[in-house]
Amino acid sequence: AIARGVVVEVEHPRAGKIKLLAPAVTYNGMKMPVTRPPPWLSEHTDEVLCELGYDTQHISQLREEGIV
């Protein structure tokens, strides 16, 4: 992967500098850039639950009960 140039380093807000595998696919000879680090565990939980129809009060209750 290193020889093919698909290992890139990005700055992660919690983990610092991390290495990732960039997409190996090229489009018109251009490699796809890695523009941001991966999310941390549960970073988007509230957004996903809202999209599923949960209100903020129910999400808070789920957190208090240790479910999420």
Side-chain angles (χ1 to χ4, degrees), residues 3-29:
R4 292 180 49 210
V6 294
V7 175
V8 295
E9 286 188 353
V10 296
E11 191 68 31
H12 192 279
R14 288 188 174 180
K17 191 172 280 197
I18 60 171
K19 292 182 181 182
L20 298 174
L21 289 177
V25 178
T26 60
Y27 296 98
N28 296 326

Side-chain angles (χ1 to χ4, degrees), residues 22-23 31-35:
K31 290 185 178 183
M32 298 286 296
V34 175
T35 57

Side-chain angles (χ1 to χ4, degrees), residues 3 6 22 24-29 31-32 36 39 44 46-48 51-52 56 60 67:
V6 294
V25 178
T26 60
Y27 296 98
N28 296 326
K31 290 185 178 183
M32 298 286 296
R36 59 184 170 212
H44 299 111
D46 289 356
E47 291 90 344
V48 171
E51 288 179 15
L52 292 173
T56 55
S60 295
I67 296 171

Side-chain angles (χ1 to χ4, degrees), residues 46-59 62:
D46 289 356
E47 291 90 344
V48 171
L49 291 173
C50 284
E51 288 179 15
L52 292 173
Y54 291 88
D55 61 25
T56 55
Q57 183 179 5
H58 194 184
I59 294 171
L62 292 172

